[in-house]
Amino acid sequence: DALAAGQTANVYGRVLDPGGRPIANARVEIWQCDANGRYHHPGDRGSAPRDDNFQGFGATVTDADGRYRFRTIKPVPYPGRTPHIHFRLEGAGFESLTTQMYVRGEPRNETDFLLNRIHDARARESLLVEFAAEPGASAALSARFDLVLAHAAAFERAT
């Protein structure tokens, strides 16, 4: 099998409740465009060729410490959008959440219509992630994106 085009990136993090406690068994999904800016979705009408070696979607379940990990590519821009990865969380005891992770330092962030709808500076900052070279001989990047679910009531345990 040939590798997908793009810069390999290991995206990982934890899913946590508002008190910082891990959420085990949460389903984490990601999806993003390929290195050519195309989604593997029938609704994508872009003219660039699709990278058939790029899956475009992944799903996993968090472990007992709330950890998840994906091997993907560093997101790239496509017309009208800054580079990003979509995330969706689902699990028992909380309402599903869909969000996006953005590349810290990307100049296109300043003009992205969706990212700029987030006026709360702290909330916006929490979506910007550094993609850094992994230590050692690996050519891959790594990016940590922790997801903290905001609604404490969903995690209250009956006593």
Side-chain angles (χ1 to χ4, degrees):
D1 288 341
L3 294 176
Q7 192 166 15
T8 301
N10 292 306
V11 175
Y12 66 96
R14 295 177 74 202
V15 178
L16 306 166
D17 74 10
R21 293 176 297 272
I23 305 295
N25 300 313
R27 180 179 167 86
V28 182
E29 298 175 358
I30 64 168
W31 66 96
Q32 69 186 96
C33 66
D34 64 24
N36 299 322
R38 294 288 306 274
Y39 282 96
H40 286 240
H41 186 277
D44 184 323
R45 304 276 187 240
S47 60
R50 280 200 173 103
D51 180 355
D52 291 329
N53 296 313
F54 185 67
Q55 188 173 334
F57 172 85
T60 191
V61 175
T62 58
D63 67 12
D65 292 320
R67 293 180 299 220
Y68 72 87
R69 181 178 206 87
F70 293 99
R71 186 166 180 87
T72 185
I73 61 170
K74 182 179 180 185
V76 300
Y78 59 86
R81 291 301 315 276
T82 194
H84 61 281
I85 298 176
H86 302 264
F87 277 75
R88 181 170 173 84
L89 299 172
E90 294 180 325
F94 66 90
E95 212 171 298
S96 65
L97 168 73
T98 302
T99 190
Q100 296 180 24
M101 177 189 83
Y102 298 88
V103 179
R104 182 179 304 284
E106 168 60 50
R108 292 174 191 87
N109 289 347
E110 299 307 314
T111 57
D112 188 81
F113 77 96
L114 197 53
L115 181 58
N116 284 294
R117 285 185 184 167
I118 303 168
H119 299 292
D120 180 285
R122 187 171 166 194
R124 182 182 160 107
E125 179 66 23
S126 73
L127 301 176
L128 301 173
V129 176
E130 186 77 32
F131 280 76
E134 288 194 340
S138 171
L141 300 173
S142 65
R144 181 176 181 153
F145 187 48
D146 290 338
L147 296 141
V148 180
L149 299 170
H151 300 290
F155 302 100
E156 292 174 0
R157 306 207 191 315
T159 54

